[in-house]
């Protein structure tokens, strides 16, 4: 069965510092991986996805993610955090057989001024 | 995403009441989904529909039912609400033509069952 894990419930970063939100996956076959962000009182917004190709994927709002097959990871990164990046971040994998998205439990990112 | 709307945005109801949550989309997508979000559990799939004649159960469908009235409308019903159905509910859509396309989410409905 496909699954993703987000090992950190919360990540705290100072504004201007680089940030990393971790995600590991378990799939049979090729992984199709996604990152979403949820701001307070809003729905989930798509950030980026990995389907195939370059291991470094660039997405919205200056975010990028690095796909690492040997470590089965898809960590979300940003070189310089902003206070406005504070939100809940979800990693997800598309189930190969059913085409459904399977979400991680979410990581709350807090960026301090 | 304004292209996916949900009504109501907030609802408080009592145990045993029937309640319907509605989702409409103007994106022209074939696929629609209902999720619930609980703190610490992420999003879990309740039901999904690949077209108006195709309805499928997700991982937590017990206590819920759905209706796909049209390509653009997908409703979620709780026939007899119970307190552990208190959660944030999201509708989402995706495009059939792109197998690896992302899903687009509505703003959510916060449901409280007393």
């Amino acid at each position: 069965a496909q699954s993703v894990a987000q090992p950190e419930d919360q990540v705290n970063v100072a504004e201007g510092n680089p940030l990393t939100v971790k995600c590991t996956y378990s799939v049979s076959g090729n992984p199709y991986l996604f990152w979403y962000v949820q701001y307070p009182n809003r729905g989930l917004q798509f950030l980026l996805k990995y389907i195939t190709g370059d291991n470094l994927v660039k997405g919205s709002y200056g975010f990028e993610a690095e796909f690492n097959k040997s470590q089965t990871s898809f960590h979300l990164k940003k070189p310089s955090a902003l206070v406005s990046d504070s939100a809940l971040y979800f990693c997800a994998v598309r189930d190969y057989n059913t085409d459904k998205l399977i979400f991680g439990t979410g990581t709350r990112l807090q960026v301090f001024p | 995403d304004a292209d996916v709307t949900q009504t109501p945005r907030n609802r408080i109801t009592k145990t045993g009441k029937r309640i319907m949550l509605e989702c409409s989309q103007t994106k022209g997508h074939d696929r629609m989904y209902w999720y619930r979000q609980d703190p610490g559990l992420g999003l879990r799939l309740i039901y999904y529909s690949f077209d108006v004649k195709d309805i499928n159960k997700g991982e937590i469908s017990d206590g819920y039912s759905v209706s796909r009235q049209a390509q653009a409308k997908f409703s979620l019903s709780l026939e007899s609400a119970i307190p552990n159905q208190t959660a944030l509910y999201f509708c989402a859509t995706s495009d059939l033509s792109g197998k690896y396309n992302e899903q687009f989410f509505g703003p959510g409905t916060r449901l409280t069952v007393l």
Side-chain angles (χ1 to χ4, degrees):
Chain A
Q2 329 283 5
S3 66
V4 291
Q6 294 181 245
E8 302 157 317
D9 291 335
Q10 180 153 333
V11 170
N12 298 317
V13 177
E15 188 174 32
N17 283 1
L19 69 88
T20 298
V21 182
K22 296 180 180 178
C23 173
T24 59
Y25 65 88
S26 175
V27 301
S28 55
N30 294 324
Y32 305 125
L33 297 159
F34 300 78
W35 274 103
Y36 285 82
V37 59
Q38 183 181 23
Y39 297 103
N41 300 314
R42 301 283 297 277
L44 277 70
Q45 297 179 31
F46 169 75
L47 279 178
L48 51 80
K49 65 183 175 184
Y50 173 83
I51 304 301
T52 187
D54 289 343
N55 290 340
L56 187 63
V57 179
K58 294 189 181 296
S60 305
Y61 311 122
F63 284 93
E64 57 190 26
E66 186 173 9
F67 173 71
N68 188 315
K69 188 173 183 178
S70 63
Q71 297 184 5
T72 61
S73 67
F74 188 55
H75 299 334
L76 182 70
K77 300 182 179 184
K78 188 174 183 181
S80 179
L82 300 173
V83 173
S84 57
D85 293 329
S86 298
L88 189 56
Y89 290 81
F90 289 97
C91 181
V93 63
R94 187 179 291 283
D95 184 280
Y96 184 79
N97 294 315
T98 65
D99 207 31
K100 297 178 292 184
L101 275 182
I102 298 167
F103 286 87
T105 52
T107 297
R108 186 164 300 281
L109 173 67
Q110 191 71 46
V111 182
F112 294 96
Chain B
D1 192 309
D3 298 321
V4 184
T5 57
Q6 294 183 233
T7 55
R9 294 292 312 276
N10 289 282
R11 181 72 182 265
I12 300 173
T13 191
K14 294 182 178 180
T15 298
K17 294 291 187 181
R18 183 180 189 276
I19 185 166
M20 179 181 288
L21 310 182
E22 299 186 348
C23 176
S24 295
Q25 53 110 347
T26 59
K27 300 188 76 68
H29 288 170
D30 294 292
R31 301 183 174 196
M32 298 187 73
Y33 310 79
W34 275 105
Y35 294 89
R36 66 175 279 175
Q37 182 182 10
D38 298 276
L41 296 179
L43 276 77
R44 293 179 292 166
L45 184 63
I46 306 172
Y47 271 95
Y48 61 104
S49 170
F50 284 175
D51 64 45
V52 293
K53 297 179 181 179
D54 180 70
I55 304 288
N56 303 280
K57 293 182 178 181
E59 57 181 308
I60 53 163
S61 59
D62 288 348
Y64 301 95
S65 62
V66 291
S67 173
R68 184 81 184 266
Q69 302 95 322
Q71 186 203 39
K73 295 184 183 295
F74 193 36
S75 300
L76 176 72
S77 293
L78 288 67
E79 296 301 326
S80 180
I82 56 177
N84 76 1
Q85 291 178 313
T86 293
L88 188 54
Y89 290 84
F90 287 106
C91 174
T93 74
S94 68
D95 186 355
L96 177 63
S97 66
K99 179 177 175 62
Y100 313 119
N101 282 354
E102 62 271 25
Q103 294 181 9
F104 294 85
F105 285 78
T109 295
R110 185 169 298 279
L111 176 65
T112 303
V113 183
L114 301 176

Short mmCIF file of all heavy atoms in Angstrom, two decimals, chain B residues 36-60:
data_model
loop_
_atom_site.label_atom_id
_atom_site.label_comp_id
_atom_site.label_asym_id
_atom_site.label_seq_id
_atom_site.Cartn_x
_atom_site.Cartn_y
_atom_site.Cartn_z
N ARG B 36 -12.11 14.38 4.80
CA ARG B 36 -12.24 15.03 6.08
C ARG B 36 -10.86 15.22 6.68
O ARG B 36 -9.95 14.39 6.49
CB ARG B 36 -13.16 14.27 7.04
CG ARG B 36 -12.69 12.94 7.49
CD ARG B 36 -13.65 12.34 8.54
NE ARG B 36 -13.42 12.87 9.88
CZ ARG B 36 -14.17 12.57 10.94
NH1 ARG B 36 -15.22 11.77 10.81
NH2 ARG B 36 -13.89 13.09 12.12
N GLN B 37 -10.70 16.32 7.39
CA GLN B 37 -9.43 16.64 8.03
C GLN B 37 -9.62 16.68 9.54
O GLN B 37 -10.50 17.39 10.04
CB GLN B 37 -8.89 17.99 7.55
CG GLN B 37 -7.54 18.35 8.14
CD GLN B 37 -7.05 19.70 7.69
OE1 GLN B 37 -7.78 20.48 7.08
NE2 GLN B 37 -5.80 20.01 7.97
N ASP B 38 -8.80 15.92 10.23
CA ASP B 38 -8.80 15.91 11.68
C ASP B 38 -7.38 16.22 12.16
O ASP B 38 -6.41 15.77 11.54
CB ASP B 38 -9.22 14.54 12.22
CG ASP B 38 -10.63 14.17 11.81
OD1 ASP B 38 -11.55 14.61 12.51
OD2 ASP B 38 -10.81 13.45 10.80
N PRO B 39 -7.24 16.97 13.24
CA PRO B 39 -5.90 17.32 13.73
C PRO B 39 -5.06 16.07 13.95
O PRO B 39 -5.49 15.11 14.59
CB PRO B 39 -6.20 18.04 15.04
CG PRO B 39 -7.58 18.59 14.86
CD PRO B 39 -8.31 17.56 14.05
N GLY B 40 -3.85 16.10 13.43
CA GLY B 40 -2.92 14.99 13.63
C GLY B 40 -3.15 13.79 12.73
O GLY B 40 -2.36 12.84 12.74
N LEU B 41 -4.22 13.83 11.95
CA LEU B 41 -4.53 12.70 11.07
C LEU B 41 -4.43 13.05 9.60
O LEU B 41 -4.56 12.18 8.74
CB LEU B 41 -5.93 12.17 11.36
CG LEU B 41 -6.16 11.57 12.75
CD1 LEU B 41 -7.61 11.12 12.89
CD2 LEU B 41 -5.21 10.39 12.99
N GLY B 42 -4.22 14.30 9.29
CA GLY B 42 -4.16 14.69 7.89
C GLY B 42 -5.53 14.63 7.25
O GLY B 42 -6.55 14.75 7.90
N LEU B 43 -5.53 14.42 5.94
CA LEU B 43 -6.78 14.31 5.19
C LEU B 43 -7.05 12.84 4.86
O LEU B 43 -6.15 12.13 4.42
CB LEU B 43 -6.70 15.10 3.88
CG LEU B 43 -7.00 16.58 3.97
CD1 LEU B 43 -5.82 17.32 4.56
CD2 LEU B 43 -7.37 17.14 2.61
N ARG B 44 -8.27 12.44 5.06
CA ARG B 44 -8.66 11.07 4.73
C ARG B 44 -9.82 11.10 3.74
O ARG B 44 -10.75 11.89 3.89
CB ARG B 44 -9.04 10.31 6.00
CG ARG B 44 -7.85 10.08 6.94
CD ARG B 44 -8.28 9.35 8.19
NE ARG B 44 -9.14 10.17 9.03
CZ ARG B 44 -9.86 9.70 10.04
NH1 ARG B 44 -9.83 8.40 10.34
NH2 ARG B 44 -10.60 10.51 10.77
N LEU B 45 -9.76 10.20 2.78
CA LEU B 45 -10.72 10.19 1.69
C LEU B 45 -12.00 9.49 2.13
O LEU B 45 -11.97 8.37 2.63
CB LEU B 45 -10.11 9.49 0.48
CG LEU B 45 -10.92 9.46 -0.80
CD1 LEU B 45 -11.16 10.87 -1.32
CD2 LEU B 45 -10.20 8.62 -1.84
N ILE B 46 -13.15 10.14 1.89
CA ILE B 46 -14.44 9.58 2.26
C ILE B 46 -15.08 8.89 1.06
O ILE B 46 -15.44 7.71 1.11
CB ILE B 46 -15.39 10.68 2.79
CG1 ILE B 46 -14.73 11.46 3.93
CG2 ILE B 46 -16.70 10.06 3.27
CD1 ILE B 46 -15.53 12.68 4.37
N TYR B 47 -15.26 9.63 -0.02
CA TYR B 47 -15.82 9.12 -1.27
C TYR B 47 -15.15 9.85 -2.42
O TYR B 47 -14.67 10.97 -2.28
CB TYR B 47 -17.33 9.37 -1.34
CG TYR B 47 -18.21 8.31 -0.77
CD1 TYR B 47 -18.66 8.40 0.55
CD2 TYR B 47 -18.61 7.22 -1.54
CE1 TYR B 47 -19.49 7.41 1.08
CE2 TYR B 47 -19.43 6.23 -1.02
CZ TYR B 47 -19.87 6.34 0.29
OH TYR B 47 -20.69 5.37 0.82
N TYR B 48 -15.19 9.21 -3.58
CA TYR B 48 -14.73 9.88 -4.78
C TYR B 48 -15.54 9.42 -5.98
O TYR B 48 -16.14 8.32 -5.97
CB TYR B 48 -13.23 9.67 -5.01
CG TYR B 48 -12.79 8.23 -5.20
CD1 TYR B 48 -12.46 7.75 -6.47
CD2 TYR B 48 -12.65 7.37 -4.11
CE1 TYR B 48 -12.03 6.45 -6.63
CE2 TYR B 48 -12.22 6.07 -4.28
CZ TYR B 48 -11.90 5.61 -5.54
OH TYR B 48 -11.48 4.32 -5.71
N SER B 49 -15.56 10.27 -6.99
CA SER B 49 -16.38 10.03 -8.17
C SER B 49 -15.58 10.40 -9.40
O SER B 49 -15.09 11.53 -9.51
CB SER B 49 -17.66 10.87 -8.10
OG SER B 49 -18.36 10.83 -9.32
N PHE B 50 -15.44 9.50 -10.34
CA PHE B 50 -14.70 9.76 -11.56
C PHE B 50 -15.59 10.30 -12.67
O PHE B 50 -15.09 10.84 -13.66
CB PHE B 50 -13.96 8.52 -12.02
CG PHE B 50 -12.72 8.22 -11.20
CD1 PHE B 50 -11.99 7.07 -11.43
CD2 PHE B 50 -12.29 9.08 -10.21
CE1 PHE B 50 -10.85 6.79 -10.69
CE2 PHE B 50 -11.16 8.81 -9.45
CZ PHE B 50 -10.43 7.64 -9.70
N ASP B 51 -16.89 10.10 -12.57
CA ASP B 51 -17.86 10.77 -13.41
C ASP B 51 -19.22 10.58 -12.78
O ASP B 51 -19.34 9.95 -11.73
CB ASP B 51 -17.80 10.29 -14.88
CG ASP B 51 -18.17 8.83 -15.05
OD1 ASP B 51 -19.18 8.38 -14.45
OD2 ASP B 51 -17.46 8.13 -15.81
N VAL B 52 -20.27 11.11 -13.41
CA VAL B 52 -21.58 11.13 -12.76
C VAL B 52 -22.13 9.73 -12.51
O VAL B 52 -23.00 9.54 -11.67
CB VAL B 52 -22.60 11.96 -13.57
CG1 VAL B 52 -22.21 13.43 -13.55
CG2 VAL B 52 -22.72 11.45 -14.99
N LYS B 53 -21.64 8.74 -13.21
CA LYS B 53 -22.15 7.38 -13.03
C LYS B 53 -21.19 6.51 -12.22
O LYS B 53 -21.40 5.29 -12.09
CB LYS B 53 -22.40 6.73 -14.39
CG LYS B 53 -23.44 7.44 -15.22
CD LYS B 53 -23.63 6.76 -16.57
CE LYS B 53 -24.66 7.48 -17.42
NZ LYS B 53 -24.84 6.85 -18.75
N ASP B 54 -20.15 7.11 -11.70
CA ASP B 54 -19.11 6.34 -11.01
C ASP B 54 -18.87 6.92 -9.62
O ASP B 54 -18.34 8.02 -9.48
CB ASP B 54 -17.82 6.38 -11.84
CG ASP B 54 -16.71 5.59 -11.17
OD1 ASP B 54 -16.82 4.36 -11.13
OD2 ASP B 54 -15.75 6.22 -10.66
N ILE B 55 -19.28 6.17 -8.59
CA ILE B 55 -19.10 6.58 -7.20
C ILE B 55 -18.33 5.47 -6.49
O ILE B 55 -18.66 4.28 -6.64
CB ILE B 55 -20.46 6.76 -6.48
CG1 ILE B 55 -21.33 7.77 -7.23
CG2 ILE B 55 -20.23 7.19 -5.03
CD1 ILE B 55 -20.89 9.19 -7.13
N ASN B 56 -17.33 5.86 -5.72
CA ASN B 56 -16.50 4.88 -5.05
C ASN B 56 -16.28 5.26 -3.59
O ASN B 56 -16.13 6.44 -3.27
CB ASN B 56 -15.13 4.78 -5.73
CG ASN B 56 -15.24 4.45 -7.20
OD1 ASN B 56 -15.44 3.31 -7.58
ND2 ASN B 56 -15.16 5.47 -8.05
N LYS B 57 -16.22 4.25 -2.74
CA LYS B 57 -15.93 4.49 -1.34
C LYS B 57 -14.44 4.74 -1.14
O LYS B 57 -13.60 4.11 -1.78
CB LYS B 57 -16.36 3.30 -0.50
CG LYS B 57 -17.85 3.08 -0.45
CD LYS B 57 -18.20 1.90 0.45
CE LYS B 57 -19.71 1.73 0.55
NZ LYS B 57 -20.07 0.59 1.44
N GLY B 58 -14.15 5.64 -0.21
CA GLY B 58 -12.79 5.87 0.20
C GLY B 58 -12.48 5.07 1.44
O GLY B 58 -13.13 4.07 1.74
N GLU B 59 -11.50 5.51 2.20
CA GLU B 59 -11.05 4.74 3.36
C GLU B 59 -11.96 4.87 4.57
O GLU B 59 -11.91 4.02 5.47
CB GLU B 59 -9.62 5.12 3.72
CG GLU B 59 -9.44 6.60 4.00
CD GLU B 59 -7.98 6.93 4.32
OE1 GLU B 59 -7.41 6.29 5.19
OE2 GLU B 59 -7.45 7.87 3.67
N ILE B 60 -12.81 5.92 4.62
CA ILE B 60 -13.63 6.13 5.81
C ILE B 60 -15.07 6.47 5.41
O ILE B 60 -15.63 7.47 5.83
CB ILE B 60 -13.05 7.22 6.73
CG1 ILE B 60 -12.80 8.52 5.96
CG2 ILE B 60 -11.77 6.76 7.40
CD1 ILE B 60 -12.63 9.71 6.85
#
